[in-house]
Structures are given as C-alpha cells and as structure tokens.
Amino acid sequence: GFHGILADDMGLGKTLQIIALLLSAKQQNDTLQVLIVCPASVVLNWKAEMQRFAPALRVTALSGGSDQRAQQIGQRAQVDVLVTSYDQLKRDIPLYEGATFDFQVLDEAQVIKNAHTLGAKAAKAIDALHRFALTGTPIENRLSELWSIFDFLMPGYFFSYAKFRERYELPAMKQQDQAALAQVRRMAAPFMLRRMKSEVLTEL
C-alpha cells in the first residue's frame, strides 16, 4: 500500500522506468487501468514513448473539447493508459467519479507543490491503487512542497500540514534545525529513488 517518488535528474529515464513498470504489470495481469497526468507540452510525448518502448500497451492521449474527452474517459476500459494534462484533469474531475485506476502517475509532480491549488486537489481526488510522483525537484523552495507530494502519495504519512509545519518546517526554516531535517529525510528516503547525473553519467 505504499507509493513513491522517482526523483532522478532530468534525462536519466524516469519515463522509461514507469513504462517498464506498467508493461510488467500488464504482462502479469491482462487488465490494466492507468492514468498519467503531465504538463500539456508532454502529453503526446508520453504516448509516443509508450508506442516506442511498449507497443503492447493501448494508450489514449486525451484531446479535443470536453465532450470528446468525456467520451474518451468513458471508454477507458478499452485501453490500458489514459494520458491527460493537469489543466484537463481540473476540468474533467467529475468524469472520473467511480473510476479506480491501478496506477496514477504524476509527471513533473512539482506542479502540485502548493496543496491549495485546484490542480493539486484534482490530482489527489483520483482513486488509484498505486501512485507515483516523477520530479527531479521534489523540494524547490520549502518543505511544504514535499509535504504536498506525500499528501498525494500517502495522505497522513507526514501528518496534517499544520503538524508538519510546526514539527519540521518552521524549525528547519527559522532555526536551521538539523535534527528536524534529518527526520524528514529518514521518513522520505524509503519512498524516494534519486539518482544524479554525476553518479550515473560520469562523462558529464
């Protein structure tokens, strides 16, 4: 019941790792329902990468007006993977009512770093058995961003935001509390895979 973050540097294959995982799941269980949410600029890229590396997966990239997307979502049982954008998800969230996905993947998951935005709330409203967040920058400016991603992955794992802020964020920000930061690292580490280009691509 745990979920995770792929936090590799850009270009080290987060997309390919997820495609391999989904293909493996498809091979083990013939039925597969996946929702991938990503920036609009890479929706078609996700579809192209799947067609290239896992042609056995049936993929629909949601497109067109609201009526067309409603039809595509309604026919999700006929495909393995739906790919949509964060903006589309916000508009279409009522159409997912009653749907349960085997996997939900957020690409560029720092998009939901502010838990109060409609995009973050929409992403967290989807019912999924396994959740993955892909982001090379799980923390850009403040610890609350990591809290919001974990609130998508495993709500309650990092407590309520008020408690997290009191126990970890404020001591780390105001007092440079290394013990608080170390505790956040210990809690996050089992669920985060992070590789750096300096570790993987030594020629760089």
Side-chain angles (χ1 to χ4, degrees):
F2 293 125
H3 312 277
I5 300 175
L6 289 183
D8 291 350
D9 270 348
M10 187 172 69
L12 294 187
K14 294 188 291 293
T15 301
L16 192 55
Q17 290 179 67
I18 288 294
I19 292 173
L21 173 68
L22 299 181
L23 185 58
S24 175
K26 173 73 172 178
Q27 291 169 344
Q28 293 176 38
N29 184 358
D30 194 44
T31 61
L32 186 66
Q33 289 278 277
V34 179
L35 179 65
I36 293 174
V37 188
C38 59
S41 59
V42 294
V43 166
L44 294 180
N45 182 67
W46 267 96
K47 181 177 182 179
E49 293 291 273
M50 288 199 176
Q51 290 173 335
R52 178 183 177 190
F53 292 108
L57 295 178
R58 299 167 298 173
V59 185
T60 292
L62 297 189
S63 60
S66 57
D67 289 345
Q68 184 176 343
R69 295 197 308 274
Q71 183 179 16
Q72 292 169 330
I73 294 169
Q75 296 173 342
R76 63 184 178 277
Q78 300 173 25
V79 298
D80 302 306
V81 183
L82 291 180
V83 186
T84 191
S85 70
Y86 287 98
D87 286 337
Q88 287 177 338
L89 182 66
K90 284 188 293 187
R91 296 196 292 269
D92 297 340
I93 199 65
L95 301 174
Y96 293 97
E97 188 173 346
T100 298
F101 291 91
D102 298 301
F103 294 88
Q104 181 187 6
V105 179
L106 300 188
D107 189 17
E108 301 293 345
Q110 68 273 11
V111 169
I112 68 159
K113 65 183 181 181
N114 183 341
H116 301 295
T117 63
L118 291 176
K121 291 176 181 177
K124 296 171 185 181
I126 297 295
D127 186 16
L129 302 177
H130 304 94
R131 291 179 165 186
F132 286 93
L134 280 56
T135 173
T137 52
I139 302 175
E140 289 183 302
N141 299 304
R142 51 182 57 225
L143 284 179
S144 61
E145 298 167 359
L146 184 66
W147 181 89
S148 185
I149 292 175
F150 268 94
D151 189 48
F152 158 72
L153 294 171
M154 299 179 287
Y157 178 70
F158 267 128
F159 317 110
S160 67
Y161 177 58
K163 189 171 183 180
F164 178 84
R165 178 175 168 79
E166 176 187 359
R167 184 177 292 186
Y168 302 113
E169 188 173 25
L170 288 178
M173 284 171 49
K174 293 186 176 181
Q175 302 152 23
Q176 300 297 304
D177 188 331
Q178 295 303 310
L181 285 172
Q183 179 63 18
V184 171
R185 278 194 207 96
R186 279 195 296 272
M187 292 180 69
F191 309 105
M192 187 185 307
L193 174 64
R194 182 163 178 80
R195 297 179 302 158
M196 312 295 285
K197 286 181 179 177
S198 58
E199 300 167 341
V200 178
L201 301 173
T202 54
E203 70 273 17
L204 297 179

